[in-house]
Amino acid sequence: MVDILKPNISLEAPLNNTWLNNYTVNFSYTVTDNLTSNCTIYGNFTGTWNEIKNTTNISSGTQINSLINISPEYNSVIWNVYCVDQAGNG
């Protein structure tokens, strides 16, 4: 049997429109899939859209927490997570 399902990603924190007065922010997400996944946080934390942090060999249902420093000059950030499972689905 061939796996064709993409990992499901739930962005958990920070929530939309959250105001933070700290420049070290916990970005939290959970990925579910029938295979282990490799995930990357992307964001505009430096003024441009960039790959920020990679996490490998994530088991399904594991919550990932990443403390990331944000430049104080950016008062609004956009972030997302992209995951690929062992079968290459992403």
Side-chain angles (χ1 to χ4, degrees), residues 48-60:
T48 59
W49 190 253
N50 288 306
E51 181 178 303
I52 304 300
K53 180 166 181 168
N54 295 307
T55 305
T56 59
N57 297 317
I58 303 169
S59 298
S60 183

Side-chain angles (χ1 to χ4, degrees), residues 26-71:
N26 179 44
F27 289 86
S28 176
Y29 63 93
T30 299
V31 59
T32 54
D33 194 74
N34 60 331
L35 301 171
T36 60
S37 299
N38 298 329
C39 298
T40 303
I41 295 175
Y42 288 87
N44 67 339
F45 311 153
T46 60
T48 59
W49 190 253
N50 288 306
E51 181 178 303
I52 304 300
K53 180 166 181 168
N54 295 307
T55 305
T56 59
N57 297 317
I58 303 169
S59 298
S60 183
T62 301
Q63 183 180 59
I64 302 300
N65 294 292
S66 297
L67 290 175
I68 298 173
N69 292 319
I70 307 285
S71 176

Side-chain angles (χ1 to χ4, degrees), residues 20-25 68-74:
L20 303 169
N21 60 359
N22 187 340
Y23 297 112
T24 300
V25 179
I68 298 173
N69 292 319
I70 307 285
S71 176
E73 63 197 69
Y74 301 106

